[in-house]
């Protein structure tokens, strides 16, 4: 007699099919087994799911289809992994199939039995990991204390360590201690961005050997990702390094989870299931009995408050390795500088002195391209995007106007498209223009060997091609660069030993933003940028962080001068509590995209009108529908509605009850909608 199976598949977004589908199998299959099943006219990958004893049996007249096959050789996905997926799907209001199948390698969906068997043979052998002790530096006292606390309690732990305090070595030793105690254990180490993965991977490979370490991130080819995933799933890989997608890696013997730079917004997924990898890492640690370490020099206010209330155990590492001092912060009042000066004369002089001494400087401007806008001096024309409510950025290097939202690109016009005026000029400044301007300002400055100043720009435009980022970073590390110009890509995690001066240009836009999280992000970014200076203890005393601002009296800069994150966090948390903002309240956004703004807001208003009477609604405040900050992208109008509650549980009950209502609404012109739980931008 055939066995009935509950199978989850990647159902389309907003499908009314949100739970497992029923299929038949000649043999009983364990939950977690990967199978191929017919779905409509296609054959898709599915996961045998745990049967719900309370679920009603399928109708007697339903013609249940048999499964098409089983992926032989791949062990069933563990129960803890399935519980993680189930929790993420429920909390973030998505279907289990969408979450589960997005976490699996794409190649699993199309390989036949012979191809899969060939891939399985390439998985590294299951060998015990051993640390290469000779390559391990001696620990400082604060590192030893942090490790001792990690070993003494369950956590979760918040490792609050200054930039350059040796957090990475603590991660390495924590992994080493784990594998020495339990040779079969596995560790997961998450980083916020792909460009931080190679250097971290080289450290772990040098310490533990290449056969023990695999990476999981979107920069891998499909065959690489499948091979690494299989090695982790089989237990052959003891250490998995990954970006946010790594939180869903199948690790049957997971005992340690590290989330480096835990404050970084990149851990929040912005498409599909909008999950927070950091928050899921904490949940997964509790689920599997694994130790969780969240590390940062500038923790998120949510994590900091959890430490204040005792939910996380806080570990402090305030001192830099080698007794090196944190850079001196100098705030430059641009109100007292020459008009239209891009770099203040004192900053320019300080850079020239360092170049003459053979030291490096870094200029941080979080805006790529040559200029954010190209404008006509005779009429009101600006380089707006015809498909978005945003301007196209002027890129001088290839003479294009490029929209950073939809990608629409055109050659720069010879004259104004409206009035024919030939005098069209760039407004504002991006990293490309800054690089050019620096070349002009530093033309007369000479290096110790008498050579001209060498300037390198690192941003999303200069690192598009494979291997270019690694090559540029090698130039910086090798001393072949005098001035590094970059966006936030260069402010995180890099161990630049020769940089003694870091300057932040034009950071003021975040000071008075409508986004209540903007000051938190700015402070973290400036602290991280400052941390790139003076990492060599011999040069630490002379290292400086310069901040050019039109608002030098702002309290954020007072805390930055003292490198006092605790004071900044206390002030921000006090303001948040008074305003009833997270982490003292819980939020979710309902976002809608439609052909017109009216259709998008009509859907949101209909959803709001249907909300009273739903479970938990009495504890939830629904605000009016409003256009999003960038209202139109690629000719699609966007709007959002905020739901807020002082109770996380009440908000979750309400969202669950609201979901079928949203699925039932059929607004003409609506393209798609999504619920974003714990949004980063409101």
């Amino acid at each position: 007699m055939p066995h009935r199976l509950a199978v989850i598949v990647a159902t389309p977004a907003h499908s009314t099919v949100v739970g497992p589908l029923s299929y038949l199998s000649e043999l009983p299959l364990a939950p977690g087994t990967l199978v191929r099943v017919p779905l409509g006219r296609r054959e898709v990958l599915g996961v045998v799911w745990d049967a719900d004893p309370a679920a009603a049996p399928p109708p007697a007249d339903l013609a249940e289809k048999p499964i098409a096959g089983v992926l032989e050789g791949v062990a069933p996905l563990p129960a803890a992994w399935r519980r993680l997926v189930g929790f993420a799907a429920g909390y973030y209001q998505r279907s289990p199939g969408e979450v589960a199948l997005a976490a699996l390698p794409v190649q699993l969906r199309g390989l036949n039995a012979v191809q899969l068997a060939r891939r399985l043979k390439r998985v590294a052998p299951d060998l015990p990991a051993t640390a290469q002790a000779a390559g391990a530096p001696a620990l400082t006292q604060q590192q030893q204390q942090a490790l001792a606390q990690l070993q003494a309690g369950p956590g979760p732990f918040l490792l609050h360590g200054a930039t350059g305090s040796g957090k990475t070595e603590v991660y390495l030793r924590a992994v080493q201690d784990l594998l020495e105690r339990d040779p079969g254990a596995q560790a997961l180490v998450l980083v916020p961005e792909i460009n931080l993965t190679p250097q971290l991977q080289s450290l772990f490979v040098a310490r533990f050997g290449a056969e023990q370490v695999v990476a999981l991130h979107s920069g891998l080819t499909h065959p690489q990702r499948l091979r690494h995933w299989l090695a982790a799933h089989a237990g052959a890989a003891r250490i998995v390094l990954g970006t946010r997608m790594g939180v869903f890696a199948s690790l049957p013997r997971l005992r340690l989870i590290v989330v480096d730079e835990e404050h970084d917004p990149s851990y929040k997924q912005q498409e599909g299931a909008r999950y927070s990898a950091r928050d899921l890492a904490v949940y997964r640690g509790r689920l599997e009995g694994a130790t969780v370490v969240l590390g940062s020099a500038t923790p998120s206010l949510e994590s900091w408050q959890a430490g204040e209330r005792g939910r996380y155990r806080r570990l402090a590492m305030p001192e830099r390795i080698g007794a090196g001092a944190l850079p001196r912060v100098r705030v430059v009042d641009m109100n007292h500088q020459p008009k239209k000066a891009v770099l203040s004369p004192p900053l320019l002089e300080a850079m020239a002195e360092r170049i003459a001494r053979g030291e490096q400087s870094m200029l941080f401007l979080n805006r790529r391209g040559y200029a954010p806008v190209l404008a006509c001096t005779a009429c009101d024309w600006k380089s707006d995007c015809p498909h978005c409510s945003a301007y196209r950025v002027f890129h001088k290097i290839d003479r294009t106007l490029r929209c950073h939202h939809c990608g629409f690109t055109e050659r720069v016009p010879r004259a104004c498209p409206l009035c024919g005026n030939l005098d069209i000029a760039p407004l504002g400044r991006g990293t490309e223009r800054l690089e050019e301007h620096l070349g002009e300002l530093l033309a007369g400055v000479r290096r110790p060997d008498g050579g001209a100043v060498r300037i390198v720009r690192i941003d999303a435009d200069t690192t598009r091609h494979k291997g270019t980022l690694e090559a540029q970073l090698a130039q910086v590390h090798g001393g072949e660069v005098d001035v590094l110009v970059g966006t936030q890509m260069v402010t995180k995690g890099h161990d630049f030993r020769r940089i003694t001066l870091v300057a932040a240009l034009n950071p003021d836009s975040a000071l008075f933003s409508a986004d209540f999280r903007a000051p938190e992000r700015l402070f973290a970014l400036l602290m991280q940028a400052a941390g790139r200076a003076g990492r060599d203890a011999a040069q630490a005393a002379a290292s400086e962080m310069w901040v050019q601002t039109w608002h030098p009296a702002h309290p954020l800069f007072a805390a930055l001068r003292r490198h006092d994150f605790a004071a900044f966090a206390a002030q921000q948390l006090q303001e948040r509590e008074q305003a009833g903002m997270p982490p003292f309240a819980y939020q979710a956004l309902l976002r809608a995209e439609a052909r017109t703004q009216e259709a998008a807001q009509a859907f949101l208003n209909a959803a709001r009108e249907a909300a009273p009477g739903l479970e938990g609604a009495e504890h939830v405040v629904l605000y009016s529908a409003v256009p999003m900050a960038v209202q139109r992208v690629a000719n699609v109008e966007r709007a959002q509605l905020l739901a807020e509650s002082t109770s996380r549980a009440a908000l979750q009950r309400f969202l669950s009850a609201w979901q079928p209502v949203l699925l039932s609404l059929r607004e003409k012109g609506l393209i798609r909608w999504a619920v974003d739980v714990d949004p980063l931008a409101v």
Side-chain angles (χ1 to χ4, degrees):
M1 182 177 174
H3 297 267
R4 180 174 289 125
L5 301 177
V7 179
I8 59 169
V9 296
T11 50
H14 312 128
S15 166
T16 54
V17 180
V18 294
L21 300 175
S22 182
Y23 288 92
L24 299 177
S25 170
E26 291 297 325
L27 299 172
L29 296 176
T33 302
L34 295 173
V35 293
R36 288 196 179 87
V37 296
L39 184 67
R41 296 181 180 179
R42 299 175 299 139
E43 187 177 290
V44 300
L45 182 67
V47 183
V48 177
W49 214 241
D50 303 83
D52 182 359
D61 58 347
L62 178 67
E64 294 175 281
K65 297 180 180 180
I67 64 170
V70 179
L71 269 67
E72 302 286 351
V74 181
L77 293 156
W81 185 89
R82 302 195 303 275
R83 288 198 294 273
L84 174 70
V85 166
F87 170 80
Y91 186 83
Y92 294 106
Q93 302 298 309
R94 312 298 288 201
S95 73
E98 182 185 9
V99 176
L101 274 298
L104 299 178
V106 172
Q107 276 205 331
L108 278 177
R109 303 173 193 177
L111 295 179
N112 59 37
V114 175
Q115 292 169 324
L116 181 58
R118 195 179 301 135
R119 298 292 195 283
L120 288 168
K121 287 180 181 178
R122 298 176 188 171
V123 175
D126 192 354
L127 299 174
T130 55
Q132 311 298 314
L139 294 178
T140 65
Q141 185 177 359
Q142 65 178 6
Q143 287 174 320
Q144 292 173 358
Q145 290 173 345
L147 278 168
Q149 289 178 278
L150 285 177
Q151 295 164 357
F157 296 93
L158 178 61
L159 179 58
H160 180 216
T163 52
S165 61
K167 293 188 292 295
T168 303
E169 185 59 33
V170 171
Y171 305 152
L172 287 161
R173 291 298 181 93
V175 172
Q176 177 183 330
D177 291 347
L178 169 72
L179 299 185
E180 286 176 353
R181 293 195 312 271
D182 182 357
Q186 292 174 295
L188 173 64
V189 181
L190 300 180
V191 292
E193 294 183 6
I194 292 174
N195 62 49
L196 297 177
T197 311
Q199 66 178 26
L200 190 65
Q201 187 168 357
S202 65
L203 290 173
F204 274 89
V205 166
R207 192 70 62 89
F208 300 102
E211 72 280 0
Q212 304 297 339
V213 184
V214 297
L216 285 175
H217 54 74
S218 59
L220 300 174
T221 64
H222 290 326
Q224 285 174 327
R225 186 179 169 194
L226 176 61
R227 188 170 66 252
H228 294 185
W229 184 89
L230 287 171
H233 177 62
R238 296 290 186 240
I239 303 160
V240 174
L241 309 178
T243 50
R244 61 175 175 261
M245 67 161 54
V247 77
F248 287 111
S250 176
L251 296 157
R253 292 172 249 172
L254 181 61
R255 296 295 177 269
L256 173 67
I257 305 174
V258 173
V259 184
D260 192 25
E261 307 292 1
E262 66 87 28
H263 66 278
D264 199 289
S266 300
Y267 282 121
K268 183 72 190 295
Q269 172 74 10
Q270 297 300 327
E271 297 293 335
R274 289 161 166 79
Y275 62 86
S276 165
R278 178 199 64 207
D279 296 348
L280 287 181
V282 174
Y283 178 83
R284 186 172 188 179
R286 186 165 68 245
L287 195 65
E288 303 199 37
T291 300
V292 178
V293 184
L294 310 178
S296 177
T298 54
S300 65
L301 293 185
E302 284 81 1
S303 295
W304 187 257
Q305 189 212 33
E308 298 263 287
R309 296 186 172 183
R311 289 193 290 115
Y312 295 171
R313 293 185 59 189
R314 200 184 293 168
L315 311 178
M317 288 175 42
E319 298 172 3
R320 280 187 149 181
I321 296 289
L326 289 165
R328 176 189 175 195
V329 177
R330 300 186 60 166
V331 177
V332 180
D333 186 350
M334 295 303 288
N335 296 289
H336 299 154
Q337 301 305 316
K339 268 192 172 184
K340 297 185 179 179
V342 178
L343 274 74
S344 61
L347 172 57
L348 200 59
E349 184 180 342
M351 290 174 61
E353 290 175 0
R354 280 163 170 77
I355 292 166
R357 294 200 300 259
E359 300 170 8
Q360 294 175 328
S361 300
M362 184 178 93
L363 268 61
F364 160 57
L365 177 64
N366 209 22
R367 180 180 286 159
R368 62 189 173 101
Y370 189 83
V373 185
L374 200 62
C376 175
T377 57
C379 71
D380 290 333
W381 179 82
K382 291 184 177 64
S383 57
D384 53 343
C385 176
H387 309 298
C388 306
S389 53
Y391 293 115
R392 285 175 292 163
V393 176
F394 173 38
H395 291 259
K396 186 177 181 181
I397 195 166
D398 57 1
R399 301 292 299 174
T400 61
L401 293 175
R402 193 181 311 157
C403 178
H404 290 176
H405 294 279
C406 72
F408 178 67
T409 303
E410 283 186 328
R411 298 287 295 173
V412 172
R414 298 177 63 87
C416 173
L418 291 185
C419 70
N421 175 34
L422 295 174
D423 190 12
I424 50 178
L427 295 180
R429 198 169 299 269
T431 49
E432 190 183 334
R433 191 177 187 184
L434 177 60
E435 178 189 23
E436 179 184 274
H437 189 53
L438 272 173
E440 298 166 355
L441 293 174
L442 300 174
V445 179
R446 288 292 176 265
R447 303 175 62 252
D449 61 5
V453 177
R454 300 169 300 188
I455 303 171
V456 162
R457 171 169 55 95
I458 297 181
D459 56 28
D461 295 320
T462 65
T463 57
R464 271 191 246 169
H465 301 296
K466 188 175 178 63
T468 53
L469 175 61
E470 290 79 3
Q472 288 182 314
L473 290 174
Q475 284 182 297
V476 179
H477 290 303
E480 301 170 32
V481 174
D482 301 305
V483 180
L484 171 61
V485 176
T487 56
Q488 63 179 350
M489 283 178 66
V490 299
T491 66
K492 305 173 186 177
H494 300 292
D495 189 18
F496 299 128
R497 309 302 293 182
R498 292 179 170 88
I499 289 179
T500 59
L501 183 149
V502 172
L505 311 183
N506 195 28
D508 290 349
S509 59
L511 295 178
F512 307 103
S513 169
D515 181 0
F516 69 90
R517 282 193 171 92
E520 177 186 0
R521 284 197 290 267
L522 175 61
F523 190 83
L525 207 49
L526 294 178
M527 284 277 282
Q528 292 289 330
R532 300 317 109 201
R535 296 180 77 88
D536 186 334
Q539 298 176 322
S543 66
E544 292 182 332
M545 166 69 168
W546 290 61
V547 181
Q548 294 191 163
T549 174
W550 296 91
H551 305 279
H554 196 283
L556 183 148
F557 297 125
L560 184 67
R561 277 195 183 100
R562 302 190 304 270
H563 298 277
D564 193 348
F565 174 80
F568 171 77
Q571 177 258 333
Q572 284 289 303
L573 285 171
Q574 183 180 20
E575 288 185 7
R576 299 262 191 102
E577 186 172 22
Q578 291 171 348
M581 295 287 191
F584 302 97
Y586 304 95
Q587 297 178 331
L589 279 176
L590 175 60
R591 293 194 173 104
E593 298 181 1
R595 304 192 189 285
T596 65
Q597 184 65 210
E598 291 75 20
Q601 294 203 30
F603 168 79
L604 297 175
N605 289 330
R608 187 169 184 250
E609 290 167 7
L614 295 177
E615 185 179 1
E618 68 275 16
H619 302 294
V620 176
V621 176
L622 293 180
Y623 293 88
S624 300
V626 294
M628 290 180 62
V630 180
Q631 179 174 323
R632 188 177 78 258
V633 172
N635 293 322
V636 173
E637 292 286 337
R638 312 189 306 167
Q640 64 185 28
L641 181 154
L642 176 65
E644 190 173 69
S645 176
T646 56
S647 165
R648 189 195 298 271
L651 180 61
Q652 279 293 312
R653 289 197 304 273
F654 169 74
L655 292 176
S656 296
W658 208 20
Q659 190 78 5
V661 174
L662 299 177
L663 287 167
S664 69
L665 295 176
R666 295 287 183 268
E667 186 64 40
K668 187 176 181 181
L670 182 72
I671 298 173
R672 66 183 69 90
W673 56 267
V675 175
D676 185 356
V677 181
D678 301 334
L680 289 186
V682 177

